Structure formats: structure tokens, C-alpha cells
Amino acid sequence: MSTPTLDKHSAALDAAESTALQKITVTFRIRRFNPEVSADASWQDFQLELDPKERVLDGLHKIKWEQDGTLTFRRSCAHGICGSDAMRINGKNRLACKTLIKDINPEKPITIEAIKGLTVLKDLVVDMEPFFQAYRDVMPFLITKDTNEPTRERLQSAEDRERFDDTTKCILCAACTSSCPVFWNDGQYFGPAAIVNAHRFIFDSRDEAGEQRLEILNDKDGVWRCRTTFNCTDACPRGIEVTKAIQEVKRALITRRF
């Protein structure tokens, strides 16, 4: 009695056909800008065959690798951790690596442009230096009065750690800051991300520079510029309650309790 064997060629054809049936035609409408070519930005359409379960980042890769190698954007880990591929997708700040095609109405052109409020260098790449300068200005590191190296671990209770747990999730993608109307109109504003990272240390029981950080954020370009629009909270890909953190910093400035 013969033993049936799998026809590998037929199986491969079946798999390819199944994959082809899953794909749909998608239009990426990308706002292009190249200062070496023109002082004005323009929109360019690209037609793609994609599986609806693929990500916007997959589509951008497909364009760059197969259609137009001049398309410029940032990406690194491609898994929502590095935060480098934040961009405006269909008018909302998102990470391209976390945005599935099927979730953004692929029947219509998918618009993709650089995040707002920061100078566009080329295509989807912006100058992040003002954003990172605000981050550096709030001293995002543990500060203690002890000038000597500690001889033992700085212990902290689970309750004390929970106090600032939410704001430790920030990946510095700038999605929150570049969704803020105040930041769009005044680049001097510290912005939500800087305040979130100040919050992370202001409420850390091991840190001893809370007062200093509060005074930095008490500046005219600091926390009081927030208009509580919740854009930042909606834009955060990590689910941080950004507006709540900003309000807690405001409260700490008034009460000096933190």
C-alpha cells in the first residue's frame, strides 16, 4: 500500500493563491517635501497591494524598496518601542508600526504626513532637537543630595512606585507634544512629553529635586500653557494619561505636595 505524499508544488501554489486573495489595493497619499528640489510641499499617491493585517510601516517599506527610494522616514525597532516612526496618519498622530491597514479605512486614500509643530527636514522626517531640548531641560534623571555613591539599593515601596508608574511608559515619540495646539502655535512651550517626564521624577520618592523641576515648569512656557484639550492623551500610543499627569504637576505647584 503506497503512502500518500504532499505535493509541495501544489501546496506552495495554494498558499500563494490564498495570500493573493487576502490582499487589497491601497492608496497611500504622502505629503512629500525635499528642500533641495522645491520650497513647497506636495502630495503624491502610491498604489500598493497589501494584506489588510499589514501595518502602515510595511506599506512605507514597500514604497521605498520597490517604487521610490527617495521616500524618507524614520523607523527603528518596528514594534512600538523606539517611538521613531510617529507621523500623522489620516489626520491623527500614530506610530506607523502599530497602525494596521484594516483599522484606517483602506477603501479611501490613506493620508500620511509629518507630525506638526516641528520643522520638516524631508518628507516625514522632522527636526526633533527642540523636542529633546525641552526633555533635557526638565532634568529627566534621578537627583539626590548624597554626593557619594550609595552603599545599598535605594528601596521604594510598591505604593510609592505605583505613584508614577504611568509616566514611566513614555517612549519619546513626540506624538503627544506634536498633537498639542499650544505647541503648534508656540514652539517655546515645553510640551506634554517634557512635563510627563518631569512628572516621572517629581513623584519619585527617591528623588530630591522635585522643587527644582516644579520651578522650571512654573515658567511662562511651562505647565500653565496647557489648555486641557486632551489631544495629547488621545495621541499617546502607550496609553499614558498625559492630561492627568499635567494636572497633577499643576496641583503640585499650587500645594507643594508631591
Side-chain angles (χ1 to χ4, degrees):
M1 180 177 179
S2 62
T3 302
T5 59
L6 177 65
D7 186 334
K8 294 183 179 180
H9 181 67
S10 297
L13 288 175
D14 290 343
E17 184 178 351
S18 176
T19 300
L21 290 173
Q22 292 175 357
K23 290 189 175 182
I24 60 174
T25 300
V26 181
T27 299
F28 274 23
R29 182 164 293 164
I30 304 176
R31 188 172 175 83
R32 305 293 305 272
F33 173 67
N34 185 347
E36 297 179 357
V37 174
S38 173
D40 299 319
S42 61
W43 293 90
Q44 183 176 2
D45 286 2
F46 295 91
Q47 299 288 326
L48 303 167
E49 294 293 320
L50 294 171
D51 187 309
K53 296 186 291 297
E54 289 186 280
R55 308 160 301 168
V56 168
L57 182 60
D58 296 318
L60 291 174
H61 280 155
K62 195 174 181 67
I63 293 171
K64 186 169 182 66
W65 296 340
E66 299 176 10
Q67 297 188 35
D68 186 346
T70 68
L71 179 64
T72 305
F73 55 92
R74 288 191 177 109
R75 87 287 185 271
S76 184
C77 76
H79 289 85
I81 300 300
C82 71
S84 61
D85 64 343
M87 54 191 70
R88 284 173 65 81
I89 302 172
N90 283 355
K92 293 184 178 181
N93 283 10
R94 313 172 195 254
L95 295 184
C97 63
K98 292 189 68 176
T99 306
L100 301 182
I101 299 297
K102 67 182 182 65
D103 293 335
I104 49 174
N105 192 10
E107 295 179 0
K108 296 182 178 180
I110 297 170
T111 61
I112 304 171
E113 56 190 312
I115 52 178
K116 297 176 66 175
L118 295 164
T119 302
V120 179
L121 300 178
K122 186 179 179 183
D123 291 343
L124 305 176
V125 174
V126 299
D127 180 7
M128 294 286 285
E129 179 54 28
F131 171 81
F132 283 117
Q133 185 58 56
Y135 171 67
R136 291 190 290 265
D137 286 345
V138 300
M139 303 183 299
F141 42 83
L142 192 72
I143 298 175
T144 65
K145 296 176 182 177
D146 188 358
T147 58
N148 298 318
E149 290 187 8
T151 57
R152 63 183 181 86
E153 181 182 3
R154 291 189 174 94
L155 300 178
Q156 186 174 58
S157 69
E159 291 76 16
D160 284 342
R161 176 61 174 75
E162 179 65 25
R163 179 67 186 85
F164 61 92
D165 181 70
D166 195 39
T167 48
T168 65
K169 301 172 186 174
C170 178
I171 56 175
L172 297 175
C173 64
C176 65
T177 295
S178 60
S179 72
C180 174
V182 177
F183 187 79
W184 296 341
N185 292 296
D186 183 1
Q188 299 303 308
Y189 173 43
F190 274 86
I195 299 171
V196 158
N197 282 279
H199 177 287
R200 179 258 176 273
F201 289 99
I202 289 169
F203 294 96
D204 189 331
S205 61
R206 301 164 299 177
D207 187 83
E208 298 174 337
E211 288 282 357
Q212 191 175 350
R213 291 192 189 85
L214 286 174
E215 284 309 312
I216 292 171
L217 294 177
N218 201 24
D219 183 83
K220 62 182 178 65
D221 294 317
V223 70
W224 303 112
R225 298 296 306 278
C226 172
R227 295 295 178 264
T228 321
T229 63
F230 284 89
N231 281 24
C232 51
T233 299
D234 292 340
C236 180
R238 300 284 288 172
I240 300 171
E241 295 184 85
V242 181
T243 309
K244 178 183 177 183
I246 294 173
Q247 297 310 307
E248 289 180 347
V249 172
K250 288 181 178 179
R251 190 178 303 114
L253 266 168
I254 295 171
T255 65
R256 296 294 165 164
R257 296 175 61 187
F258 49 91

